[in-house]
Amino acid sequence: MVRDGYFYALALIAAGVLVGWFAQPAWTLLPLLLAVFFLWFFRDPERVIPDEPGAVVSPADGKVTDVSFVTVGDEKQVRISIFLSLFDVHVNRSPLAGIVREIRYQRGKFLNAMNHDSAEQNEQNIVRMEGDDGQIVVFKQIAGLLARRIVFHPKVGDRLERGQRVGLIKFGSRTDVQFDAAASLQVKKGDRVRGGASVLAYLQPKGELASAGRYSATGEAR
């Protein structure tokens, strides 16, 4: 359970008791039901984290709404978008083991997270990580129509383990993950994923990618 759930629940229970005391007992039902909802919403289940080399795990629970290729600078990357509904676990996890190299918070709109433009226009937290094998993975915590607060605990320079809890986005949102296009994808549009447990792709070590680039399709050195 994320501790925020206890704060919301206790406040609502107190409000329910006061309303029932000064008004009618029946009026306590709504705040008590909301308290139960918040306790459920801020659940934080344990997950079995995959330990295969090169695995990039989902940073969030939800539905894969897009798998597409984008160009960043001169690099071709794949972007996986995950939509978190109001009913999904909203705790975010690190997609790989490595060092946090950059954190950038971008103010913006609160469009529906299913909207294609939300990836660029919505308020979001952008995290750039360097994995143990040298690969770079970027993941974004993107606010949605209902989300108004993004939480991210680590700082630049911190080391994170694959599947480690890093924060959350409250009340419906989207998470994007970007990495090298040469990765072996394990999910497709429409799949359901679980944070820290579902493998999105397998990355090749940076050294292997560089070696592969020195050879032609016939196996001769370039």
Side-chain angles (χ1 to χ4, degrees):
M1 173 70 67
V2 179
R3 66 178 183 177
D4 297 54
Y6 295 115
F7 296 150
Y8 284 108
L10 288 173
L12 285 164
I13 291 171
V17 171
L18 290 173
V19 169
W21 182 266
F22 290 105
Q24 296 180 6
W27 287 99
T28 65
L29 183 60
L30 180 58
L32 291 180
L33 287 176
L34 285 173
V36 172
F37 167 76
F38 281 117
L39 289 173
W40 172 78
F41 179 85
F42 285 102
R43 64 198 185 280
D44 184 12
E46 295 294 333
R47 296 285 165 79
V48 177
I49 312 301
D51 59 0
E52 295 93 342
V56 177
V57 299
S58 178
D61 286 38
K63 181 179 181 180
V64 177
T65 56
D66 184 56
V67 179
S68 57
F69 291 95
V70 296
T71 301
V72 180
D74 296 327
E75 284 189 47
K76 189 175 182 182
Q77 298 183 345
V78 62
R79 180 178 67 192
I80 298 176
S81 299
I82 302 162
F83 175 72
L84 294 76
S85 76
L86 192 63
F87 305 103
D88 286 310
V89 173
H90 275 60
V91 174
N92 294 146
R93 294 172 178 263
S94 174
L96 76 166
I99 306 298
V100 177
R101 294 302 184 192
E102 181 183 6
I103 302 171
R104 179 164 57 89
Y105 198 88
Q106 174 181 305
R107 297 289 181 182
K109 300 179 180 180
F110 294 94
L111 302 174
N112 189 317
M114 294 288 285
N115 189 321
H116 179 74
D117 294 333
S118 66
E120 303 300 330
Q121 297 184 24
N122 275 24
E123 188 152 324
Q124 56 193 269
N125 189 54
I126 305 166
V127 181
R128 181 174 176 269
M129 289 189 63
E130 181 179 354
D132 292 340
D133 57 8
Q135 283 280 20
I136 299 297
V137 172
V138 174
F139 71 98
K140 302 179 180 181
Q141 298 170 288
I142 303 173
L145 186 64
L146 297 176
R148 287 297 184 272
R149 188 182 176 202
I150 297 172
V151 179
F152 187 77
H153 299 299
K155 301 180 292 295
V156 172
D158 285 354
R159 174 177 174 78
L160 302 178
E161 299 302 325
R162 181 188 296 144
Q164 179 178 332
R165 295 171 177 85
V166 295
L168 74 156
I169 320 173
K170 296 181 180 180
F171 311 123
S173 50
R174 168 176 167 175
T175 303
D176 282 3
V177 190
Q178 290 181 202
F179 42 80
D180 192 272
S184 175
L185 291 175
Q186 303 297 304
V187 296
K188 62 184 183 302
K189 184 177 178 179
D191 286 351
R192 296 282 309 179
V193 292
R194 297 194 305 156
S198 299
V199 177
L200 301 180
Y202 290 100
L203 298 175
Q204 290 182 311
K206 194 172 182 179
E208 290 185 12
L209 287 174
S211 298
R214 292 197 296 268
Y215 291 87
S216 67
T218 60
E220 298 177 351
R222 291 179 179 176

